[in-house]
C-alpha cells in the first residue's frame, strides 16, 4: 500500500490519486482485499478441516435421523399406488396394489434389496423382517391373482395393519426415529402415543445423563476449587510440583485410570478390604461401589477433574493478593472478603471449568461403559449400542441429534445467565 | 477438496502398486481374536500359508461389530476385508442387506471324503445362502464346584432356584437365551417356547421368572467375563460360551464344572464381503479351509464342534493338553441331552423389540 500521501495528487474529479495514477480509494480497497485474501488463505486449512471433519458428519447425522428412502426406492411401484388406498377404511388394498408389490419383490429379489426394507420396517413393527424374507424367497414363483398368492406366501399380507404401517412409512422422510428416541410410537394409522413404562428407555436416560453430568460438574468444582486456590497461592516451586500431581493422571491412559478405579472399588477391592479389616463393615456387608451410578460418578469426577483445575488455577493466578488485603483492611471478615471479593473474581474460571466438564461428561462414553453397570450408563452408551450392535443407525442419529440440541439449549441458557464472554479458558 | 482426493488416490495407487509387486498376496481375514483366532491360525492359516507361499493371511481381530463396519465400508465403496467370521444371526442380516456374497455351496466347497456334497454334509446348519458354518458353539453354564456344596446344579431350573443355589449368578445382558431359559425353567415345554415368546403374555411370563433372581444377577457383555467372575468367586454359576469354560476348567484348572442342561446351540462361520479385494484367492482358501479334515482340526485347539457331519469322527486330542476333545464338545451325546437351537427367524424379527423391553426391564 502506498501511504506516502505527499507524493499523491488530486485528479480532475477531486479524488486523491496515488503515484501510479490509480485513485487512492480504489488502491486502498485493493490493498485491503489482498490482506483479507491472505488472511482467508491462512484460515482456509482450518476452515476446510472443520468443514470436512465436523460439519459434514453432523449434517449427515441430522439427515440420517429422518432419512427413509429405502422403502420408496425398492417398492417403487407399490408406494405411489398406495397413496390412493384409504388406510382408515377396513378394506385391504386392491389387486392392482398386490400385483405391483409382487413385481417389486421380483425386482428386489434380483437386486437383493428386499432385506433392507424388511429391516427398516421391522423397527416399526416386529415381524416385517420375517415377512420380507419369506416373501423374497418365493418372489419368483408368484403368479396372479397376486392377492391370494401373497397371502398364501405369508398370511401377514392379509393383515390390514401391515399395509397401514407400510403406507405410513413409505415417504422419503420419517419422524419415527425421533418418536422412538422420545419413547413414543405410532399406531398403524399414524396417531402418536407414549410408550408405557415397561417400554420406556431413552427419556429416563436423558434425565439421568443430565443430572449425573450436573452432579459430576458440581463435585469437580467442590474438589478443584481448594486445589486451585492452594496451587495459585503457594510459591512457584511447590505449586509446580503439585501441578504435576494434578496433571499426572491427565497424562495417564484413560483406560488405566478407569481400571484402577475398578481395582479400588470392586467388592473384593482395596477399599472394601480396608473397611472389612478395620471392622467398619462385616465381610458379608461389602459395599457395591462399582458397576452402578456411584462408580460412574466417582470415576468420571476423577477423570474430568483436571479440566476444572486448569481454568480455575489460571484465573486465580491473576487475582492480586492485594484485593483481599484491601478488603480485610477495610474491615471485612476473612469470610466476607472471600465471598464478596475473591469468589466473584473467579467466576470466569468457574464458568469455563463448569462448561468444559459438563459438556464433556454429557457425551461421555468409555468410563460409564466400563464402570457404569446398569444404573450408571449414559445416553451415549446407547448411541454406541445402536451404532455397532443393533445397527439401527437412524435411531442412533436421532438420539445424537437430540443430545446435540439439548447441549445447545443449555449453552444458550448458560450464555443468558452467566454470559459466554465472561469465561476464561486460561 | 478435489486436489486432496487426487493426492490420496495417488498415494493409495502407489501403496497398491507396492503390494502388487510384492511376492505374497495379502488376505485380510477378520475374526474374533484371542483363543478363537489362535485356533484358526493353527488349524487353517498356518498350514495353508505353508502350502501356498504366495498367500499371506493377515488376521484382523475386529469381528465385534463387523456388520456395522462392513456397512460403512460398502457405503464408502472401499471394502478392505477379504473374509469375515460372523455368528449366524449377523451373517443372515448381512446377507439380507446384500453386504456379503451368496455362495454356491456344492461348487465352492469341497465334498465330504465319501463324496457327499457339501450342502448335504453341512445339512440344516446352512441357515443362510451367504454363510459357511465352521463351528457349533453353545451358550451354557459353568458353576463353582466348591461353592455349591453337595448339591450341584443339574437343570436350568436350578439357575432360577435361589434356595438350592444361593448366591450371585451371571447372565448375558440381552434378551436372547435368557427369555428362553426363563420359560424352560418355568416349566414350558421346549417346542412351545418360541410360540410363547411371540405373545405378550409369554414375554411377561419370562420377565416375571427373571424377576425372581434379578437382584442376584451380574450381567455380562463379553464372553470372558463369566469365567473371570467364576474364578474370582464373584458368582456361583454363570452362562457363557462353552469354549471359554473349557479353557478355564481344563487349561487353568479352576474348580469349575459344566452344567449343559438346555445349552443353546449357535453357529459361527465365514462370509465373503461383496466386492472383497481378492475374491478368487479367498474362494480358493475357503474350499480348503472348510473341508472335513480342517474343520476337525480346529477342534484340537478349542472345544467347539465342527459344523460338518463328516468331521465329527475325526475330532482327536487337544493340541497341547493331549486330552480327548470329544467329551468336551457341546454336540457330544452326553452333553446334548437337552438342547435348543438358536431360532434365527424368531430373533431376526423380534431382537430389536425384545432387547428394548429387556433394557427397560433392567432399568426398572
Amino acid at each position: 500500500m502506498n501511504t506516502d500521501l505527499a507524493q499523491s495528487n488530486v485528479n480532475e474529479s477531486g479524488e486523491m490519486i496515488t503515484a501510479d495514477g490509480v485513485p487512492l480509494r480504489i488502491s486502498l480497497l485493493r490493498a485491503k482485499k489482498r490482506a483479507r485474501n491472505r488472511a482467508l488463505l491462512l484460515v482456509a486449512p482450518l476452515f476446510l478441516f472443520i468443514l470436512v471433519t465436523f460439519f459434514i458428519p453432523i449434517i449427515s447425522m441430522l439427515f440420517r435421523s429422518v432419512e427413509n428412502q429405502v422403502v420408496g426406492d425398492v417398492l417403487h411401484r407399490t408406494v405411489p399406488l398406495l397413496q390412493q388406498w384409504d388406510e382408515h377404511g377396513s378394506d385391504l388394498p386392491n389387486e392392482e396394489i398386490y400385483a405391483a408389490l409382487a413385481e417389486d419383490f421380483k425386482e428386489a429379489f434380483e437386486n437383493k434389496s428386499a432385506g433392507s426394507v424388511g429391516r427398516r420396517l421391522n423397527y416399526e413393527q416386529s415381524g416385517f423382517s420375517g415377512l420380507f424374507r419369506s416373501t423374497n424367497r418365493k418372489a419368483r414363483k408368484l403368479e396372479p391373482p397376486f392377492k391370494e398368492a401373497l397371502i398364501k406366501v405369508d398370511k401377514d399380507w392379509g393383515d390390514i395393519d401391515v399395509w397401514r404401517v407400510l403406507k405410513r412409512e413409505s415417504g422419503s422422510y420419517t419422524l419415527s426415529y425421533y418418536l422412538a428416541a422420545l419413547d413414543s410410537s405410532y399406531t398403524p394409522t399414524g396417531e402418536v402415543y407414549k410408550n408405557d413404562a415397561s417400554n420406556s428407555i431413552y427419556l429416563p436416560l436423558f434425565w439421568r445423563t443430565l443430572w449425573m453430568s450436573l452432579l459430576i460438574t458440581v463435585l469437580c468444582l467442590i474438589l478443584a476449587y481448594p486445589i486451585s486456590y492452594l496451587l495459585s497461592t503457594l510459591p512457584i516451586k511447590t505449586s509446580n510440583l503439585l501441578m504435576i500431581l494434578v496433571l499426572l493422571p491427565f497424562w495417564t491412559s484413560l483406560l488405566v485410570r478407569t481400571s484402577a478405579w475398578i481395582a479400588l472399588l470392586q467388592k473384593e477391592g482395596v477399599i472394601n478390604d480396608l473397611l472389612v479389616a478395620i471392622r467398619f463393615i462385616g465381610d458379608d456387608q461389602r459395599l457395591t461401589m462399582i458397576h452402578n451410578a456411584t462408580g460412574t460418578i466417582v470415576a468420571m469426577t476423577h477423570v474430568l477433574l483436571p479440566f476444572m483445575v486448569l481454568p480455575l488455577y489460571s484465573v486465580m493466578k491473576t487475582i492480586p493478593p492485594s484485593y483481599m488485603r484491601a478488603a480485610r483492611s477495610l474491615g471485612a471478615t476473612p469470610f466476607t472478603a472471600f465471598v464478596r471479593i475473591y469468589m466473584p473474581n473467579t467466576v470466569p474460571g468457574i464458568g469455563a471449568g463448569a462448561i468444559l466438564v459438563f459438556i464433556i461428561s454429557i457425551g461421555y462414553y468409555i468410563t460409564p461403559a466400563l464402570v457404569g453397570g446398569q444404573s450408571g450408563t449414559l445416553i451415549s452408551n446407547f448411541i454406541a449400542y445402536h451404532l455397532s450392535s443393533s445397527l439401527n443407525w437412524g435411531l442412533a442419529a436421532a438420539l445424537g441429534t437430540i443430545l446435540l440440541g439439548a447441549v445447545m439449549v443449555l449453552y444458550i441458557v448458560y450464555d443468558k445467565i452467566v454470559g459466554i464472554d465472561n469465561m476464561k479458558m486460561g | 477438496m478435489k486436489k486432496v482426493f487426487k493426492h490420496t488416490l495417488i498415494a493409495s495407487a502407489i501403496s497398491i502398486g507396492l503390494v502388487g509387486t510384492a511376492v505374497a498376496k495379502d488376505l485380510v481375514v477378520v475374526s474374533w481374536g484371542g483363543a478363537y483366532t489362535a485356533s484358526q491360525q493353527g488349524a487353517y492359516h498356518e498350514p495353508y500359508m505353508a502350502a501356498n507361499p504366495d498367500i499371506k493371511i493377515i488376521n484382523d481381530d475386529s469381528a465385534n461389530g463387523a456388520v456395522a463396519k462392513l456397512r460403512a465400508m460398502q457405503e464408502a465403496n472401499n471394502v478392505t476385508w477379504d473374509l469375515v467370521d460372523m455368528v449366524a444371526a449377523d451373517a443372515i442380516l448381512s446377507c439380507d442387506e446384500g453386504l456379503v456374497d451368496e455362495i454356491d455351496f456344492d461348487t465352492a466347497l469341497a465334498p465330504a471324503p465319501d463324496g457327499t456334497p457339501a450342502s448335504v454334509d453341512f445339512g440344516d446348519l446352512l441357515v443362510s445362502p451367504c454363510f459357511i458354518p465352521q463351528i457349533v458353539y453353545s451358550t451354557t453354564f459353568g458353576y463353582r464346584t466348591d461353592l455349591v456344596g453337595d448339591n450341584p446344579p443339574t437343570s436350568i431350573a436350578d439357575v432360577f432356584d435361589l434356595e438350592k443355589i444361593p448366591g450371585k449368578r451371571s447372565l448375558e445382558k440381552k434378551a436372547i437365551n435368557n427369555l428362553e431359559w426363563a420359560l424352560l425353567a418355568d416349566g414350558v415345554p421346549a417346542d412351545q417356547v418360541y410360540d410363547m415368546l411371540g405373545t405378550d403374555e409369554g414375554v411377561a411370563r419370562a420377565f416375571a421368572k427373571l424377576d425372581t433372581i434379578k437382584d442376584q444377577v451380574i450381567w455380562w457383555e463379553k464372553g470372558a467375563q463369566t469365567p473371570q467372575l467364576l474364578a474370582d468367586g464373584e458368582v456361583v454359576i454363570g452362562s457363557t460360551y462353552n469354549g471359554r469354560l473349557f479353557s478355564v476348567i481344563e487349561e487353568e484348572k479352576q474348580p469349575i464344572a459344566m452344567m449343559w442342561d438346555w445349552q443353546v446351540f449357535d453357529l459361527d462361520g465365514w462370509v465373503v464381503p461383496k466386492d472383497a479385494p481378492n475374491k478368487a484367492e479367498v474362494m480358493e482358501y475357503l474350499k480348503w479351509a472348510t473341508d472335513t479334515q480342517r474343520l476337525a482340526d480346529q477342534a484340537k485347539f478349542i472345544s467347539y464342534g465342527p459344523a460338518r457331519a463328516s468331521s465329527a469322527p475325526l475330532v482327536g486330542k487337544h493340541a497341547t493338553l493331549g486330552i480327548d476333545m470329544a467329551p468336551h464338545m457341546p454336540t457330544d451325546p452326553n452333553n446334548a441331552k437337552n438342547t435348543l437351537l438358536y431360532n434365527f427367524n424368531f430373533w431376526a424379527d423380534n431382537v430389536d423389540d425384545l432387547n428394548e423391553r429387556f433394557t427397560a426391564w433392567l432399568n426398572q
Side-chain angles (χ1 to χ4, degrees):
Chain A
M1 199 195 322
N2 190 349
T3 53
D4 196 350
L5 290 176
Q7 286 183 8
S8 64
N9 289 311
V10 178
N11 68 1
E12 56 268 27
S13 58
E15 271 184 319
M16 297 263 267
I17 54 167
T18 53
D20 46 359
V22 184
L24 181 62
R25 190 176 52 84
I26 293 172
S27 184
L28 269 172
L29 274 179
R30 273 191 199 144
K32 263 192 193 155
K33 203 174 162 197
R34 266 203 303 278
R36 217 179 25 240
N37 283 346
R38 261 203 302 277
L40 213 62
L41 269 178
L42 275 176
V43 297
L46 175 70
F47 180 72
L48 269 179
F49 179 78
I50 289 182
L51 187 78
V52 171
T53 61
F54 190 69
F55 282 107
I56 293 180
I58 284 183
I59 290 165
S60 115
M61 179 188 81
L62 290 172
F63 182 65
R64 244 180 227 288
S65 65
V66 292
E67 193 254 271
N68 188 43
Q69 267 140 4
V70 64
V71 181
D73 282 355
V74 174
L75 305 179
H76 60 93
R77 295 184 186 82
T78 317
V79 165
L81 289 175
L82 260 185
Q83 305 315 315
Q84 285 132 40
W85 173 66
D86 174 24
E87 73 268 31
H88 299 288
S90 56
D91 294 331
L92 282 170
N94 54 25
E95 173 66 18
E96 194 192 355
I97 294 178
Y98 277 97
L101 185 71
E103 275 305 307
D104 283 337
F105 261 106
K106 280 176 193 173
E107 192 183 316
F109 181 84
E110 298 301 324
N111 304 334
K112 299 195 186 85
S113 52
S116 40
V117 184
R119 285 277 305 164
R120 163 68 193 94
L121 292 172
N122 205 58
Y123 296 141
E124 304 301 321
Q125 188 177 319
S126 292
F128 265 101
S129 197
L131 173 65
F132 272 66
R133 197 172 312 120
S134 63
T135 314
N136 189 44
R137 258 200 305 271
K138 296 178 185 134
R140 276 168 307 177
K141 298 185 195 118
L142 289 172
E143 301 268 348
F146 290 112
K147 188 167 183 171
E148 276 90 278
L150 277 163
I151 293 174
K152 205 172 145 232
V153 167
D154 197 314
K155 61 176 175 12
D156 281 356
W157 288 119
D159 180 354
I160 194 159
D161 279 346
V162 164
W163 286 97
R164 285 175 175 151
V165 172
L166 189 60
K167 179 170 179 183
R168 200 190 72 217
E169 293 304 324
S170 62
S172 297
Y173 299 96
T174 179
L175 281 177
S176 70
Y177 293 125
Y178 281 98
L179 278 186
L182 295 170
D183 287 328
S184 303
S185 317
Y186 279 123
T187 61
T189 45
E191 286 97 50
V192 176
Y193 67 94
K194 186 103 184 48
N195 293 352
D196 57 12
S198 70
N199 267 330
S200 296
I201 305 175
Y202 305 112
L203 281 182
L205 260 173
F206 275 116
W207 285 119
R208 183 198 287 166
T209 307
L210 214 61
W211 75 255
M212 277 178 54
S213 304
L214 272 175
L215 184 61
I216 289 162
T217 311
V218 171
L219 286 175
C220 276
L221 182 61
I222 293 172
L223 291 174
Y225 205 90
I227 302 173
S228 316
Y229 181 75
L230 188 68
L231 283 174
S232 66
T233 47
L234 281 177
I236 200 97
K237 232 178 180 171
T238 345
S239 79
N240 273 351
L241 195 71
L242 285 180
M243 193 52 140
I244 289 174
L245 290 183
V246 171
L247 289 177
L248 200 62
F250 200 45
W251 297 329
T252 321
S253 155
L254 181 73
L255 287 174
V256 173
R257 276 182 287 166
T258 309
S259 308
W261 278 112
I262 298 178
L264 278 173
L265 295 177
Q266 68 187 354
K267 270 253 158 85
E268 309 287 326
V270 179
I271 292 178
N272 265 318
D273 282 350
L274 202 72
L275 289 176
V276 171
I278 60 166
R279 304 278 165 88
F280 188 72
I281 52 171
D283 201 18
D284 51 342
Q285 295 167 307
R286 285 169 176 266
L287 303 172
T288 315
M289 293 180 289
I290 200 127
H291 302 306
N292 56 17
T294 318
T296 303
I297 290 168
V298 171
M300 274 178 65
T301 304
H302 174 231
V303 168
L304 297 177
L305 197 57
F307 290 98
M308 188 65 98
V309 172
L310 292 176
L312 272 180
Y313 168 74
S314 75
V315 167
M316 287 178 177
K317 199 82 191 146
T318 61
I319 301 173
S322 53
Y323 284 14
M324 286 289 275
R325 285 201 293 271
R328 294 294 305 284
S329 75
L330 292 171
T333 61
F335 180 76
T336 315
F338 182 77
V339 172
R340 300 270 304 272
I341 304 298
Y342 197 80
M343 259 193 7
N345 272 308
T346 60
V347 163
I350 297 177
I355 209 154
L356 267 178
V357 171
F358 182 77
I359 287 183
I360 295 176
S361 63
I362 209 168
Y364 224 67
Y365 151 74
I366 301 171
T367 303
L370 287 172
V371 301
Q374 196 50 43
S375 58
T377 42
L378 304 181
I379 194 74
S380 31
N381 299 97
F382 271 79
I383 298 177
Y385 166 76
H386 285 302
L387 273 179
S388 63
S389 299
S390 85
L391 300 173
N392 191 346
W393 288 2
L395 182 54
L399 289 169
T401 310
I402 293 174
L403 189 63
L404 180 68
V407 171
M408 281 165 124
V409 167
L410 287 169
Y411 188 80
I412 292 167
V413 169
Y414 176 89
D415 188 29
K416 285 270 177 297
I417 298 173
V418 187
I420 221 67
D421 313 332
N422 198 6
M423 180 166 84
K424 207 171 162 201
M425 288 288 180
Chain B
M1 276 293 283
K2 253 194 178 142
K3 213 159 195 181
V4 174
F5 184 55
K6 202 167 130 197
H7 286 157
T8 325
L9 263 186
I10 292 169
S12 40
I14 290 171
S15 54
I16 289 168
L18 287 176
V19 174
T21 53
V23 188
K25 194 140 205 170
D26 291 344
L27 295 187
V28 179
V29 175
V30 180
S31 187
W32 301 95
Y36 193 68
T37 293
S39 75
Q40 291 174 326
Q41 184 76 13
Y44 312 146
H45 303 344
E46 272 165 14
Y48 192 75
M49 286 192 283
N52 299 278
D54 55 331
I55 298 286
K56 186 165 173 260
I57 292 174
I58 297 170
N59 284 306
D60 179 334
D61 298 344
S62 45
N64 227 330
V67 186
K69 289 170 200 154
L70 216 49
R71 206 195 254 175
M73 283 186 190
Q74 288 284 359
E75 283 191 11
N77 265 326
N78 179 24
V79 177
T80 57
W81 291 348
D82 290 300
L83 190 61
V84 185
D85 195 290
M86 278 187 184
V87 295
D90 283 347
I92 293 174
L93 203 159
S94 316
C95 200
D96 275 356
E97 293 198 7
L99 298 175
V100 292
D101 276 341
E102 290 192 13
I103 287 161
D104 183 354
F105 298 112
D106 285 335
T107 55
L109 304 181
D114 62 358
T116 314
S119 59
V120 179
D121 203 14
F122 282 105
D124 291 342
L125 302 186
L126 295 173
V127 292
S128 156
C130 305
F131 176 68
I132 311 167
Q134 289 165 70
I135 54 141
V136 179
Y137 70 94
S138 86
T139 310
T140 188
F141 287 90
Y143 62 91
R144 277 286 288 251
T145 47
D146 54 339
L147 295 180
V148 293
D150 304 331
N151 211 358
T154 52
S155 77
I156 191 72
D158 295 344
V159 175
F160 291 82
D161 189 341
L162 291 178
E163 272 168 33
K164 183 174 172 189
I165 313 286
K168 294 269 186 194
R169 44 266 278 140
S170 60
L171 292 173
E172 191 174 3
K173 199 168 152 188
K174 37 165 107 163
I176 294 167
N177 297 346
N178 293 327
L179 295 185
E180 287 102 319
W181 282 330
L183 286 184
L184 287 167
D186 211 23
V188 176
D191 56 347
Q192 291 171 26
V193 164
Y194 287 105
D195 289 341
M196 199 138 207
L197 281 180
T199 64
D200 276 347
E201 303 80 61
V203 176
R205 182 167 166 188
F207 280 118
K209 187 71 183 174
L210 281 167
D211 266 331
T212 60
I213 55 167
K214 189 176 179 184
D215 56 349
Q216 293 295 317
V217 176
I218 293 177
W219 302 97
W220 60 267
E221 285 173 279
K222 298 255 150 57
Q225 277 170 281
T226 289
Q228 189 61 49
L229 290 167
L230 281 168
D232 291 349
E234 292 258 326
V235 297
V236 183
I237 187 168
S239 72
T240 188
Y241 313 123
N242 71 291
R244 303 273 187 176
L245 288 168
F246 171 82
S247 64
V248 78
I249 295 170
E250 295 295 340
E251 290 165 13
E252 293 165 30
K253 304 284 178 203
Q254 296 289 328
I256 296 169
M258 308 285 294
M259 202 281 289
W260 293 98
D261 194 41
W262 291 116
Q263 52 168 322
V264 183
F265 283 152
D266 197 351
L267 306 168
D268 189 85
W270 299 119
V271 288
V272 182
K274 192 176 141 205
D275 309 322
N278 304 300
K279 189 141 289 173
E281 287 81 5
V282 159
M283 295 313 290
E284 192 83 5
Y285 165 81
L286 268 182
K287 186 164 198 161
W288 182 84
T290 59
D291 72 9
T292 299
Q293 184 60 48
R294 250 43 65 184
L295 290 190
D297 285 350
Q298 197 183 356
K300 282 187 204 163
F301 299 92
I302 200 156
S303 66
Y304 294 125
R308 277 182 187 255
S310 59
S311 298
L314 302 178
V315 171
K317 289 188 189 314
H318 191 278
T320 52
L321 297 174
I323 51 172
D324 234 349
M325 288 303 279
H328 295 283
M329 292 289 149
T331 42
D332 186 78
N334 282 322
N335 302 332
K337 283 174 194 145
N338 286 327
T339 64
L340 217 56
L341 179 62
Y342 181 99
N343 190 326
F344 301 106
N345 285 327
F346 176 83
W347 283 113
D349 276 350
N350 295 291
V351 67
D352 297 316
D353 224 26
L354 288 179
N355 269 342
E356 205 155 280
R357 281 192 67 167
F358 182 78
T359 312
W361 172 80
L362 273 183
N363 283 323
Q364 271 163 30

